[in-house]
Amino acid sequence: MATTVPQNPTSQTVAALLPRLHDADSDFRYMSLNDLYTVLMNGHPGFLMNDYNTCARTVDGLLRTLDDQNGEVQNLAIKCLTPLVLRVPSSILAPLIEKLSNLTTHNAVDSSIPATALQTVVANLPKPVPGAKQGKPTLDAYAAISKVLIPRLVGYVVHAPGSRPDLPPGMLEHHTDKGVDSSAIDILTEVARSFGPMLHESEVRALQKVVLQVLESERSGSVVKKKAVVAISVLAVYFSDDLLSSFVSQLIESFRNPHLTPVKRRLLINIVGSMARSIPHRFGPYLKTLAPFVLSALSEQELEDQLEDLSEDEERDPQVDDVREAALVALDGLLASCANGMRAYTEDSIDAALRFLKYDPNIANDDDEDMDGEDFDVAGELGEDDDFEEEGGFSDDDDLSWKVRRCAAKVLYTLISTRGSGDLLDDGTLYERVAPVLLDRFKEREENVRLEVLATMGLLVRKTGEGSSLSTTSAIEEGYMMGPPISRKRRRGGSDASMFDTQSAISISTGITTPAMPPAPASGPRASLTELIPTFVRAVSKLLSGGSIPTKQASITLLKDLISVQHGGLSDYLDQLMAPLVEALRTPSSLTGGTTTSVTGGAASTGSTLRIEALSLVKALAETHTSSVLKPYLGSLVPPVVSSVEDKFSKVSAEALNTLEALVKVLTPPRSAVLGQEYQPQLMQLYDIMLLQITANDADLEVRQRAIHALGVLLARTSGPEGSKLVSASKRSAALDALYERLRNETTRLAAVRAIDAVAAMATDEAEFSSSWVQGVCLELGSQLRKADRSLRGASLAALKNLVMSRAGQTNLDDGTVEGLNSVLLPLLTTNDLHLLGPALVVLSSLTQRNARLVVTPDMNSALCSIVLAPLSGAVLDAFLGLVKTIGEQKVGRPLMQGILKDVGVTGDPAVVGKAVGTLLVYGGPSVGVKVDDFINELQTAQDDQRKCLALAVLGEAGLRLGPSSPLTPELFMAHFKSKSDQVPLAAAVALGRSSAGDLARYLPVLLPAISNRGDYQYLLIHSIKEILQQAGETHTDISQYSQQIWQILLETAHTDDNKAVSAECIGRLTVFDPKTYLPVLQQHLKDESPAVRGMASQAIRYTFTDSEESYDEVLKPNLIGMLNTMLNDTDLENRRLALTSLNSAARNKPSLILPHLGQLLPCVMKETVVNPELVHEVQMGPFRHKVDDGLEVRKSAYETLYALMETAFSRINIVDFYDRVMAGLDDEHDIRVLCNLMLAKLVTLDREETLRRLDAIAERFRVILSFKPKDNAVKQELEKAAEASRGALKVTLQLQKAFDRGNPSHTWVTYSEWVRKDFASQLRSIEEESREKV
């Protein structure tokens, strides 16, 4: 039977299909239902609204097919209900629900079909949106639920007395023959989930009452009771405070019942755990009473009593272990959801988890076992347990104590995840009490439990190393290729292209430096971990030797975590690990090990995954241990790694190449000095397999890319005389040709560019590259600069820079290549992309030195003139001035000078134009056609302020670069302090400072007395001092003979409000020059009686954090925490704000000094994030009264500091407390909400688990923000803030949806997420498009 469904169906289309639903042939019935479903889905939402008769007949037809003998017909009938309930008139809903609730099937095998259909109807009805006005469809749907379904569930009328006088027995009432229908519980749960916000209190009470009756009934089965626990947790969200209190009181009374059975006790404990997860914030106040009931089931006394009561021949009651399992699951939920409330029970929780982690009643004297004893055999499941069963008459199939141990491990995992970033790790609890027991339980005989133990130990190790783990090579590669960030803050000593120097980054990525393990701290978590390493390695080595594939894989992952945290640390233990590790490398990829689950999720463990983990471990060992340590094992490691490269699974092959690259670093200089040429055959093995993978056409793309990168590392590290002994000239030439060939291939181009970059950066010999290779590669790299792929352009430009600037590259460049490079680089001379502009300027500067006449063309001069129109700063400005300097030195700067002066002049940025002209003026000399005197004359005769400012900038730069030979005098600049212009005096002050920095001996004797004598120009002269100190810091100029005099003057000027900020900055810069002298003085000023002096000292200290060197850090380190504590506890509100900004700066610039002492500082920051009611007051403004919060700025600074600490010291922040303040910030003022949105966006990645637990709270707060409607008379600023707040909430919501919607989020979040998708669809699309454009 073939039918065609029309594009725009009508009610007649539906009516025509209904007779076929009763056909004798089940295939016809099925096809008719399928057509009906298509019609309902395609039809207009209202196409059935006015045809009551057809709707009623459709309902009857579907109800009849629900009792069909064919299961597929029944399932399709249920599926049809989904679109039907949204398209029928509201008057049909109540009869539909009533008929479904009374439907009894006679032909169907599955008796739950009516309940499933009813649940489908409830789930697809229009749902209410909390906090928003409900539409008519939602109100009608709720009316049908309230009128029909709730009375049918509970057995009596609840909210509308008299509306249903005659009711059949309730769906949740006990039936003599069937008991309670578990499907009815599912329906009740769906009602609560879908219509909970609209339920009246009487309905919630009635539903709660009937669920309690099910829970308390002896005739209810275990499945029914489990579903009832879920139902009560869903209903709990909508309990009133009184109802919740009453319910908890009932729980407490039940717990105190002297005749409480194990089954009943387990049920009550399950309810506590489920309620804690469902309503953590409302349930928290009741923990003081309820938590002891959960913990009592895990107490040592109860365990001892049970063992005493158990006779020798008596079998254990499995219900007792069920209670313990439930108690541990509930405890896990309490610790995860109510972390703050459970702090009082931390010790009891740890005791309980450790007690039952060792709980194995079938093995006597478990506590006395030694891990080194013969009984520690993880392969016992292969046969030894059979003997035990025969002797003791016990079967492991009957032993369920392993579930208790597994739950205990999960409790410890949760405890470490929620408290391992703060107190429990820092005070030693986790390493003193938990870690030894975890290590001891590596001998666990049940694999599921053992994997949980390994995962928990791995988490503890990772928490120990958070913030100090190794940087990955891939991260470095991605970072250096695109150049440095553009910043206005310049580090001391920065010059020219130094900021664009990628050689240091390449040195790290190619492993050019020998790894060195940092010394272990004397105390703290890492010191404790170091003490455990011998026991740790001994236990893991046994697991690697005799464990199953999942156990071996988990053990290797644990070793990788240890190496990452300790930066090595296994030098003395490789003998124990190497043999089983090599065996793991040889595991056949086709071998399967089953699927296992742990707290970290489920994963299939196979021979391939084990080999990948083993290869990754070898890579970590090679990157963190010296060649001398690895020397005895290279002979056994290299062959299995090489064979893994040829594995048929591409992921194994790719990982093997990563490992091979790490071994290359071990076998090549300078690390291979201790090896000599002894291992050259192994290195040639690596070379051959890499070249084979690069040239193989059938190799996977990822494999070829990894091989290219590894070959680049090998060539880079064998550069020079020492390397030539390891790789012959012919092999090097063949490898370079292969890289050139791969550079010309689109799929491998980017990998080849990065490999060539590494080779060029490390090249030391002029003869390393042939002329044809250099010229061909340069032009090929240049051609990539025209491509649209930004990462390819950035990498190509970086490689080109290193190749052109290397000795080998410069020697082999010809004029044709230079001309070709010049043509492709000129389009990059634009401020549209500063990341590419800087390196392009550096390359052009190098080419100009080689052939200035060929490079410096009119087109180039025009491009440079266009650059100075924009404000440049930082590394890009240095690179630009470096090129200008080179042009001047090559005596080809006249056209450029004319172009800047005529075509740009005052239209450009005066600071940039002035520096460019001044630099060209000094280094070009007479060849540029203008002299210093010309600008002096311009300054004295110009009538407009812009020309004067430009002349001052030129003269200031010229004075700086001419130094003592400069003809300029201080009076020339100071004469313009009197100008009435707003711009000229400050420009004169800056120019005076720059010129003074070139000749301190001539200028400072004039400036310093002037600061004291000329009160009117004091502010300008301090700006000159600021410029002098900044230049002195960058050029390391000695100012010691003037520093004391400058210090005293600055302290005097800092008392004036206008001078306070700039004087503080100067004092900070001066402190960096001589910290031993001035830092103690600043420390004393922090305790001064005057708030102004204390504030000045705080500001000065903050400025020292951004521009300083290691010598300053050595003096700062013992004083920093004391100073910050003093500042944060200042009594003055403004000074505390300054203290928070200082801590913010320290967190970003000195994280290593802050991290160990964060426990002292963080409470002060947290305290400042709390709204202080004493600082909130009302002010009268005309007829209106406004609230003013004097603490807002301090609070905002506190949140900014938290944001900085989150980025640099997140591992040492207690996540529960931190998240509490973020949640509070979402209820605060607009600026703070913006910061908290940024924090939430990062927390999704930083702590996924805690974010998942907070989804409900986030949904509630975001719903309030999105539902806010500004008043009709709101001003433009208020409207903009409201729009920005909504957009910020939607951005974070979108990120949370992507992260969690595919998992199993709570109903509250799902409801909120659906509401946002429906009501804010256009805004979400706009945000998604914007994010895609940024990417």
Side-chain angles (χ1 to χ4, degrees), residues 974-989:
M974 294 169 65
H976 293 275
F977 286 178
K978 304 174 184 179
S979 174
K980 296 180 180 180
S981 167
D982 294 335
Q983 301 173 350
V984 173
L986 187 57

Side-chain angles (χ1 to χ4, degrees), residues 829-832 834 837 841 860-873 876-884 887 895-920 950 954:
L829 299 186
T830 171
T831 55
N832 293 335
L834 296 180
L837 174 59
L841 291 168
M860 179 178 173
N861 289 328
S862 299
L864 293 177
C865 289
S866 67
I867 289 176
V868 296
L869 291 172
L872 301 179
S873 62
V876 176
L877 178 59
D878 290 339
F880 174 72
L881 295 178
L883 175 57
V884 171
I887 291 173
L896 178 60
M897 177 68 82
Q898 292 176 349
I900 294 176
L901 294 178
K902 292 182 180 179
D903 301 334
V904 180
V906 296
T907 61
D909 185 335
V912 178
V913 175
K915 289 179 180 180
V917 173
T919 301
L920 196 58
L950 179 58
V954 171

Side-chain angles (χ1 to χ4, degrees), residues 986-1300:
L986 187 57
V990 173
L992 174 60
R994 293 186 69 80
S995 186
S996 301
D999 190 3
L1000 297 177
R1002 177 152 53 120
Y1003 279 78
L1004 280 181
V1006 178
L1007 262 66
L1008 296 180
I1011 296 177
S1012 302
N1013 298 335
R1014 300 189 182 184
D1016 294 341
Y1017 306 130
Q1018 200 175 64
Y1019 175 77
L1020 296 172
L1021 291 168
I1022 296 172
H1023 267 279
S1024 299
I1025 295 295
K1026 170 188 167 184
E1027 196 68 30
I1028 291 172
L1029 295 175
Q1030 183 174 332
Q1031 291 299 321
E1034 292 177 0
T1035 59
H1036 297 275
T1037 305
D1038 182 16
I1039 62 168
S1040 55
Q1041 68 181 100
Y1042 305 103
S1043 60
Q1044 189 61 41
Q1045 188 178 357
I1046 296 174
W1047 178 270
Q1048 293 298 331
I1049 291 174
L1050 290 173
L1051 286 181
E1052 295 173 4
T1053 59
H1055 291 282
T1056 307
D1057 289 341
D1058 292 342
N1059 300 333
K1060 182 179 178 181
V1062 66
S1063 295
E1065 182 177 353
C1066 294
I1067 289 171
R1069 292 185 183 278
L1070 203 54
T1071 302
V1072 175
F1073 291 135
D1074 191 359
K1076 293 182 179 179
T1077 300
Y1078 299 120
L1079 195 59
V1081 179
L1082 277 183
Q1083 206 166 359
Q1084 290 299 318
H1085 284 312
L1086 290 175
K1087 302 175 183 177
D1088 196 274
E1089 294 181 358
S1090 170
V1093 174
R1094 298 198 302 271
M1096 177 276 298
S1098 294
Q1099 284 182 288
I1101 290 172
R1102 184 187 71 199
Y1103 285 115
T1104 67
F1105 297 145
T1106 54
D1107 297 304
S1108 56
E1109 296 178 334
E1110 292 182 4
S1111 58
Y1112 174 72
D1113 291 352
E1114 293 175 1
V1115 181
L1116 178 66
K1117 185 174 181 179
N1119 303 305
L1120 176 61
I1121 304 304
M1123 290 191 299
L1124 288 173
N1125 268 321
T1126 302
M1127 294 155 61
L1128 289 169
N1129 289 288
D1130 199 295
T1131 55
D1132 185 78
L1133 193 65
E1134 175 61 15
N1135 285 348
R1136 290 206 302 276
R1137 186 190 68 80
L1138 293 173
L1140 288 166
T1141 60
S1142 297
L1143 177 56
N1144 188 335
S1145 178
R1148 294 184 183 279
N1149 297 284
K1150 311 287 183 188
S1152 60
L1153 303 184
I1154 294 292
L1155 193 61
H1157 308 281
L1158 196 59
Q1160 302 177 40
L1161 304 171
L1162 196 56
C1164 298
V1165 182
M1166 293 287 196
K1167 182 178 68 175
E1168 296 296 346
T1169 62
V1170 180
V1171 177
N1172 186 353
E1174 297 178 0
L1175 298 176
V1176 180
H1177 57 92
E1178 288 188 345
V1179 295
Q1180 188 79 30
M1181 296 182 67
F1184 305 104
R1185 298 180 68 85
H1186 293 273
K1187 280 188 177 181
V1188 176
D1189 187 353
D1190 293 334
L1192 177 59
E1193 291 302 318
V1194 177
R1195 208 158 61 250
K1196 182 180 174 183
S1197 296
Y1199 273 102
E1200 289 171 346
T1201 305
L1202 284 182
Y1203 184 76
L1205 291 171
M1206 182 180 72
E1207 292 185 318
T1208 58
F1210 185 74
S1211 61
R1212 289 296 177 265
I1213 297 176
N1214 184 289
I1215 184 58
V1216 177
D1217 294 339
F1218 183 85
Y1219 233 121
D1220 285 344
R1221 298 319 310 153
V1222 174
M1223 291 292 98
L1226 292 176
D1227 297 328
D1228 212 317
E1229 296 294 330
H1230 173 75
D1231 290 343
I1232 294 175
R1233 282 204 304 268
V1234 171
L1235 283 170
C1236 290
N1237 282 336
L1238 294 174
M1239 292 186 200
L1240 275 178
K1242 289 184 176 292
L1243 285 168
V1244 175
T1245 304
L1246 291 175
D1247 199 324
R1248 181 183 176 87
E1249 294 177 359
E1250 186 64 24
T1251 304
L1252 179 60
R1253 287 191 281 267
R1254 303 278 184 154
L1255 282 181
D1256 288 359
I1258 295 171
E1260 292 172 4
R1261 286 164 173 80
F1262 279 178
R1263 192 186 294 278
V1264 172
I1265 294 172
L1266 295 173
S1267 301
F1268 174 75
K1269 303 296 182 185
K1271 297 178 181 178
D1272 294 337
N1273 60 348
V1275 297
K1276 181 181 178 182
Q1277 186 179 12
E1278 292 175 338
L1279 295 175
E1280 290 175 349
K1281 282 186 175 181
E1284 186 181 353
S1286 295
R1287 187 171 180 80
L1290 289 173
K1291 279 185 177 180
V1292 180
T1293 297
L1294 188 61
Q1295 189 172 350
L1296 291 169
Q1297 287 174 338
K1298 292 178 179 178
F1300 298 110

Side-chain angles (χ1 to χ4, degrees), residues 252-264:
I252 295 170
E253 290 301 320
S254 299
F255 271 118
R256 289 174 177 169
N257 185 351
H259 304 293
L260 187 63
T261 63
V263 174
K264 180 70 172 178

Side-chain angles (χ1 to χ4, degrees), residues 728-989:
S728 65
S730 61
K731 287 186 177 292
R732 172 175 288 276
S733 177
L736 289 173
D737 290 341
L739 290 181
Y740 181 34
E741 187 65 28
R742 291 293 98 191
L743 177 64
R744 298 164 67 181
N745 185 288
E746 185 176 357
T747 59
T748 56
R749 183 169 289 146
L750 183 58
V753 167
R754 290 175 173 169
I756 291 171
D757 189 9
V759 174
M762 298 293 108
T764 57
D765 191 349
E766 294 182 5
E768 275 192 42
F769 308 138
S770 66
S771 297
S772 60
W773 189 87
V774 170
Q775 293 164 14
V777 168
C778 282
L779 292 176
E780 188 65 32
L781 289 172
S783 67
Q784 306 311 315
L785 300 178
R786 299 190 179 100
K787 299 294 174 65
D789 187 343
R790 190 167 182 270
S791 60
L792 176 61
R793 284 187 292 148
S796 299
L797 187 56
L800 183 62
K801 179 182 73 66
N802 282 327
L803 186 57
V804 167
M805 297 183 69
S806 67
R807 292 172 59 191
Q810 290 176 344
T811 306
N812 293 298
L813 288 177
D814 61 0
D815 289 349
T817 305
V818 171
E819 192 171 1
L821 291 178
N822 194 47
S823 65
V824 296
L825 288 169
L826 284 180
L828 300 182
L829 299 186
T830 171
T831 55
N832 293 335
D833 194 338
L834 296 180
H835 282 92
L836 296 180
L837 174 59
L841 291 168
V842 174
V843 175
L844 285 171
S845 180
S846 178
L847 295 176
T848 301
Q849 290 177 348
R850 187 185 182 284
N851 193 333
R853 301 290 176 184
L854 196 62
V855 176
V856 184
T857 62
D859 289 340
M860 179 178 173
N861 289 328
S862 299
L864 293 177
C865 289
S866 67
I867 289 176
V868 296
L869 291 172
L872 301 179
S873 62
V876 176
L877 178 59
D878 290 339
F880 174 72
L881 295 178
L883 175 57
V884 171
K885 175 184 174 182
T886 303
I887 291 173
E889 290 173 339
Q890 298 299 318
K891 308 305 178 185
V892 290
R894 181 186 289 267
L896 178 60
M897 177 68 82
Q898 292 176 349
I900 294 176
L901 294 178
K902 292 182 180 179
D903 301 334
V904 180
V906 296
T907 61
D909 185 335
V912 178
V913 175
K915 289 179 180 180
V917 173
T919 301
L920 196 58
L921 183 66
V922 172
Y923 294 102
S927 66
V928 297
V930 291
K931 299 178 291 185
V932 173
D933 292 342
D934 296 332
F935 291 97
I936 296 175
N937 182 58
E938 176 76 7
L939 175 63
Q940 294 173 343
T941 60
Q943 298 299 316
D944 61 292
D945 295 341
Q946 290 180 325
R947 291 185 179 278
K948 287 185 178 180
C949 289
L950 179 58
L952 286 167
V954 171
L955 292 173
E957 190 69 20
L960 171 66
R961 296 182 180 272
L962 287 171
S965 61
S966 170
L968 307 176
T969 63
E971 291 75 15
L972 175 68
F973 300 99
M974 294 169 65
H976 293 275
F977 286 178
K978 304 174 184 179
S979 174
K980 296 180 180 180
S981 167
D982 294 335
Q983 301 173 350
V984 173
L986 187 57

